[in-house]
Each structure stands twice: as C-alpha cells, then as structure tokens.
Amino acid sequence: MHALTRQGLRAYLDPQNVHSSRQAAAQGLVRGGIQILRNPSGLIGAAIIVLLVLAAILAPLLATHNPYAQNLQQVLLPPGADHWFGTDNLGRDIYSRIVYGARATLTIVCIVSVIVGPIGIIIGATAGYFGGLVDTVLMRITDVFLSLPSLVLALAFAAALGPGLDNAIIAISFATWPPIARLARAEAMTIRKSDYVAAARMMQASDLRIILRQIIPMCTLSVVVRLTLNMAGVILVAAGLGFLGVGAQPPLPEWGAMIAVGRQYMLDSWWTVTFPGLAIVAVSLAFNLFGDALRDTLDPRSAR
Amino acid sequence: MTDDIGVTPAGLRKWSPSALRAGRAIGVLSSIALTLMGLLLLTFLLARFLPADPVYAIIGDNADRDTYERVYRELGLDQPVYQQFFTYALKVVTGDLGMSHITGMPVVRDLLEVVPATLELAIVAIILGSAAGIPLGVLAGTNQNKPIDHVVRIIGLIGYSTPAFWAGMGILIIFYAQLGWIGGAGRQDPYFFGEVPTVTRLVTVDALLAGRVDIFLDALRYLVAPALILAYNALAYISRMTRSFMLEQMNQEYVVTAKAKGLSRGKVIWAHAFVNIRVQLVTIVALTFGAMLEGAVLVETVFAWPGLGQYLTRGLMFRDMNVVLGSVLVIGIFFIILNMLADFAYRQLDPRTR
C-alpha cells in the first residue's frame, strides 16, 4: 500500500500506469463503483443502504426518545412535533423504534450473508467440481429445499427452533442457501473445464486445493451479486417472520414485529403500521435497485 | 429439477421415440419420487430433532414422570430413528398426518377444508396477475427505455419490495374501515353461512351453482382485496420476465425480416414475437402460481381468510407441529407438481425439445 501514499490517489488510479495486480484490482473496483453510482437506480439504492447503516450505528444520536421507554399517559398519539411518527400502544416513540429497528434489519442482512454465502459456495463448488455421484447427492438435497417457498421453509424451521431473532436468522439461512449453491455449481462446472484448472491438476494439486484456490475465487463475484439481489427477499421474509410472531420478539424494536403489534390498533391509529412498513419497503427497494445496478455493471449483456 | 431430466444418455439415441418418451417419463417420475422422499425426510427431521422436546410440546411442562414416559412411548420415540422415519413415511403415504390439537380433527380433514379456500384465492389472483402482467411486459419489452418501460419497471419494483401483509392492512384501513366498499375478515358474510350446499368448496362457484347471485356478489366483496394483492405480486414477476423474453425475441433476425417485409407493428409483436414466448410464459405462470402460496400465508393472516396459509400460521402460533408439517408437505407437493407440469407443458409445446 505504500505505493498509494507516495504517488497520491490520482496517480494510483491512473489506468495508464499500473504496477501491480492489486493496483489493477483497486482500479477496477473504483471504476465499477463509479459506474454503479452513475446509474440512477444504483445511486438511490446505495444512498438508502448507507442511510440504513448510519441509522444502525448512530441510533442513540438519531433517536429522539428511548425506544423501550413506555409512557402510558401518551398512548397511540398521532404524529406531531414531539413524536414525529406518533406513539404505539405502550406510548413508545415510533420514530425512535424505527431508527433502532435498523439494527435488527442490518444484523439479519449481514449474518445471513455471512452464513449463506460460504455454505452455498462450498456446496455448489464441490458439487460442480466433482460432478457424478457427489453432484447428484448434493443437488438432490438442494432440490428438496427448493421445493418449498423460502418463507414457508423459514417458517417451518422457525417453528421448530422457537421464536427469537437468532433463530429467525438461522431459519432464514436454511431457506436461502439453495439458490446460491445452484449458482456456484453452475459456475464451477464451467471453470473446472478451463485450462488453468487442468494445469493445476497436472501439477498434482489436490482436489481440496483446486476447489479452494482455483474454483471458489472465480465463483465469488457472481455469488456476491446474487446475494445482494436476494437481500430484498431476505428482508421481506424476516419482516414476515416478525409479523407472524416467530421472528424478533417484543420489546425488541423490529419492523415486522412492530407491524404485528400495530395491527390491533391500525383501524384507529394508522401510523402504528404505516411507518414501520414504509421502512421495510424503502430498504427492500434499495437492495433491489442496488442489486439491479450491480448486475448491469458486471454483466452488461443483461442490462439491454 | 430441470437439469438432468432433459439429458438423454447416448445409448438411448437409437431407440424408438415412444420408448424414449417412456424412459424419460420414468426418469422424471423417479426424480420426483426422490424429491418427495427428501421432503418427507426434511419434515421428519424438523419434527424429531429440532424442538427442545416433542413430549413437553404436547403435555406441557408440569406433567409428571409417568405421563411423560407414556407419551414418549406413544410417539414411538423409544424406537431407533430409522424405524421412526419408516413409520412416519408409511403414515404419510397412507394419508395419515396425525391429529391437530388446535382443531381436534385429523390434519388431513382440516387440509381438505382449507386448501380449496386458498385455491380459490390463488386461481383468481393468477388469472388477474397474468392478464395484466403479460400485456404490460410485452409493452415494456417492445418500447425499451421509453417512458412506458420505466413505468412498468417501477410498478414491478414496488410489487417486489412491498410486504404483502402490509399492503393488505393499507387496503383494509382505506377500503374497509373508511369507505366500506369491501368485506373485512373471512370469505363471506356470516349471515350467509350454510345457505348454499357445499359442492366444490369454492364459495363463489357454490353460490353460482345454487343460483344465488347475492351470495356470489357478497363472496366477491371479500375475495377482491386479498386476490388483488396476490395478483399484484404475480404481476411484478410476470411482467418482468415477459419483458426480458420479448426483448430477446425483438432482437432476432426473423423479427427484422417481418418488419422489412412491411408487416404492421402489432402483427410483428403479437403474431411473430409473442407466439415464440408463449412456452416460456407457461413455465413462468406455473412457477408464479406456486410462489403465490408464500404470499397466501401472510395475506390470509391479514384478511382472516380460512385457507392453508392461515391454518399453517395458527399451527405455528400454538406450536402444533402436525399442522405445521402437514401444511408444509402439502405446499411442497403442490410446488413439485407445478414444476413437473411446467416442465411437461414445455416439452409438449416446444417442438425443439421433442
């Protein structure tokens, strides 16, 4: 990295003057990033995602009230100067709860990606690389999981594991790895026929080494894109679990669970369900927009 | 499920077409049987291993030692695991999904009550969703990057990003509570319960069969909101796929030829390009119909629609594992059959796959 400080950022990113593969990779990343942000949907998506991250980190500063503090004198107040989004059935400030709710959403998104990405890649790359019986067995298992809609699968796991945010994350992970494994398998099947894999094999590299060093790095990019696109779905499933009472449990501020509670009062107090719902729509829309832009940038063919 | 089905082993090439077809059918059926077996294994494992203790789930925490032992044996938990699975699979295959402790009825009987309610909702929704989604997708795909394309894209994006249960609440607040245009909870006004004989278990159809237009209209008032929400979700996906299929066709040379020989735009689009995406659309509509079961779980809960989704949710709430697993199995089987039908339709309609 010392090259960076010596030459300055502008020179480091000059495509005419590339010295290392790391520099080339950094340039590619910056160019791709700029291209995504030039795309209006990519820009809007990225802005909302940044907002989500900021809300999660700075929640104590952004919130106007304690999200857990009940005030039974101020129950179900409509939106106003003191409570921007009104109060819920226990007099808690809905705006502050939505800000803190960003933490639950961000936790779900991050942990599900961290669990599902590697599992999907390992299963998919192994199946695609070996082919034959290994492939058949692993893909049969994947098919079984794919034979259920992801919310239903997550519900079944959540029912068995019991309610709670942790269990909801595990349940969602169980429900969302199969498409990732499918994708990684398809990539691995084309990569294993390439010359450099043949070369590695000729040099007596073990299967494990080839999968880890040659196959998996090449699958990673498309898996990351797919994960981003799937995040919108993950957020909706998580909100659905919260709404059905098997996800995050009260009093934890989680948007789906907030809607579930607000539902009992919605006919007279529309704000109890409206604002948490808008938060869910905004974030899932953001991942859809950002994922679309990411895919268009990396695969211009699909952008047509 | 689609990967290995279409592949014909080299040795089969010289066989007669009918033998080939039979061989392929056996291949498809055995792969479906395997997936179903896997589904059974999955639900079995869910029931046996994940809950803290299946015995306590039934008898509660305060039961004494003897009751515990008795229920433990009644559940067959003292037997080896493979034997438990065998017993479970045999029961399911013979149509025994156990008793539900929330309704006090066999789960199979409950399912026969709730599945038609969900089907009524899903059939209306898929018809509406396709009727709107396909033309919108064609419109977008043939006007790429024009305003109408962006409008269709935004309509689709909103459909993808909005939780169905939240949209349902919004509609209830506005059209039920404020305006009173639609029915609230359930499938029909309780006033009409038992008025017409149950034939198909679809309230609208039964009402028409009995010639009761008033009951039919009443049922429609309850059906319209949940069906429209599911239809909107379907529309989002169908229009997006239709758009990309149309784009692909419009860049083909035969379209250029058709334009060059002076055919009208409508004729090029509908008589040439659209004809070639029909097969793909059948697959998409079938898959969307399956995905609708997912939306139904949430929408039925909001509208208190007495269907499969609500049944599953109630099973969840009262930790009735027989109900949960029975519903999950039905949804899985439904999904697998739809996949199979889509695959079959593809084969029948597309001459290239023969």
Side-chain angles (χ1 to χ4, degrees), chain A residues 292 295, chain B residues 157 160 235-244:
Chain A
D292 276 353
R295 195 191 44 202
Chain B
L157 267 174
Y160 277 130
L235 178 155
Y237 185 62
I238 291 176
S239 67
R240 183 175 182 151
M241 296 311 287
T242 309
R243 175 186 181 271
S244 68

Side-chain angles (χ1 to χ4, degrees), chain B residues 33-291:
Chain B
L34 260 175
T35 312
L36 280 176
M37 213 56 204
L39 191 63
L40 272 182
L41 187 62
L42 180 69
T43 49
F44 169 77
L45 292 177
L46 272 174
R48 284 295 172 274
F49 290 108
L50 288 176
D53 191 328
V55 179
Y56 281 131
I58 293 174
I59 58 177
D61 295 340
N62 300 323
D64 59 69
R65 192 79 216 156
D66 287 346
T67 321
Y68 184 93
E69 293 288 340
R70 191 167 52 79
V71 175
Y72 189 83
R73 270 195 303 278
E74 273 171 15
L75 288 175
L77 293 173
D78 50 344
Q79 290 165 354
V81 173
Y82 68 89
Q83 206 167 333
Q84 289 182 35
F85 175 63
F86 189 71
T87 317
Y88 170 74
L90 206 66
K91 269 180 149 181
V92 171
V93 170
T94 53
D96 178 6
L97 294 171
M99 295 290 286
S100 152
H101 53 251
I102 45 175
T103 62
M105 294 279 200
V107 171
V108 173
R109 243 188 95 177
D110 287 345
L111 286 172
L112 287 176
E113 292 280 329
V114 298
V115 168
T118 299
L119 282 182
E120 186 173 29
L121 201 57
I123 290 171
V124 173
I126 195 71
I127 292 173
L128 293 176
S130 312
I134 293 174
L136 279 178
V138 171
L139 212 58
T142 51
N143 292 289
Q144 193 187 359
N145 290 332
K146 293 194 186 137
I148 182 75
D149 187 18
H150 295 300
V151 170
V152 172
R153 178 165 178 249
I154 290 168
I155 292 176
L157 267 174
I158 294 172
Y160 277 130
S161 313
T162 310
F165 59 91
W166 184 68
M169 292 174 176
I171 287 188
L172 277 180
I173 292 178
I174 297 170
F175 293 99
Y176 170 70
Q178 302 292 327
L179 299 171
W181 291 357
I182 58 166
R187 289 172 87 182
Q188 63 180 146
D189 196 317
Y191 177 75
F192 291 125
F193 278 168
E195 281 278 302
V196 292
T198 307
V199 186
T200 58
R201 293 184 194 275
L202 309 176
V203 175
T204 47
V205 177
D206 282 352
L208 285 182
L209 284 179
R212 291 290 298 270
V213 179
D214 53 337
I215 297 184
F216 174 74
L217 290 177
D218 172 67
L220 271 192
R221 257 166 39 94
Y222 283 83
L223 182 66
V224 62
L228 276 180
I229 290 174
L230 288 180
Y232 188 47
N233 279 344
L235 178 155
Y237 185 62
I238 291 176
S239 67
R240 183 175 182 151
M241 296 311 287
T242 309
R243 175 186 181 271
S244 68
F245 293 153
M246 278 309 273
L247 274 182
E248 199 180 308
Q249 295 298 326
M250 295 307 278
N251 290 329
Q252 302 273 331
E253 283 173 5
Y254 75 88
V255 169
V256 179
T257 312
K259 279 182 190 159
K261 73 182 184 192
L263 284 188
S264 72
R265 192 172 149 75
K267 202 139 198 191
V268 172
I269 292 171
W270 292 103
H272 287 251
F274 184 72
V275 170
N276 285 318
I277 68 165
R278 281 183 315 187
V279 180
Q280 287 162 297
L281 284 182
V282 170
T283 314
I284 291 302
V285 170
L287 294 179
T288 314
F289 192 65

Side-chain angles (χ1 to χ4, degrees), chain A residues 39 41 136 139-140 143-153 155-163 174 182 185 229 232 236-237 239-241 243-244 246 256 259-260 262-263 266-267 269-270 273-278 280-282 284-286 288-289 292-293 295-296 302-304, chain B residues 1-4 31 34-35 37-39 42 46-47 50-52 144-145 153 157-163 165-166 169-170 172-173 176-178 240 243-244 247-248 251 290-291 293-295 297-298 301-304 312-313 316-317 319 321 324-325 328-329 331-333 335-336 339:
Chain A
N39 181 335
S41 54
T136 310
M139 282 304 113
R140 277 279 158 259
D143 278 346
V144 171
F145 280 79
L146 279 175
S147 70
L148 288 169
S150 51
L151 175 69
V152 174
L153 194 54
L155 274 178
F157 276 103
L161 292 166
F174 269 118
R182 269 279 162 120
R185 168 180 178 261
L229 276 169
L236 290 187
V237 170
L241 291 182
F243 172 69
L244 294 175
V246 289
I259 294 179
R263 185 182 163 211
M266 68 175 184
L267 292 183
S269 315
W270 54 270
V273 295
T274 305
F275 294 110
L278 283 175
I280 297 171
V281 174
S284 100
L285 192 65
N288 271 325
L289 289 169
D292 276 353
R295 195 191 44 202
D296 292 352
S302 70
R304 283 181 317 170
Chain B
M1 324 232 335
T2 49
D3 287 337
D4 42 3
S31 98
L34 260 175
T35 312
M37 213 56 204
L39 191 63
L42 180 69
L46 272 174
L50 288 176
Q144 193 187 359
N145 290 332
R153 178 165 178 249
L157 267 174
I158 294 172
Y160 277 130
S161 313
T162 310
F165 59 91
W166 184 68
M169 292 174 176
L172 277 180
I173 292 178
Y176 170 70
Q178 302 292 327
R240 183 175 182 151
R243 175 186 181 271
S244 68
L247 274 182
E248 199 180 308
N251 290 329
L293 293 173
E294 179 166 275
V297 173
L298 295 164
T301 307
V302 174
F303 289 93
L312 170 62
T313 329
L316 277 173
M317 236 174 269
R319 306 217 70 189
M321 271 323 258
V324 174
L325 296 181
V328 167
L329 263 181
I331 293 174
I333 291 169
F335 230 57
I336 293 171
N339 262 308

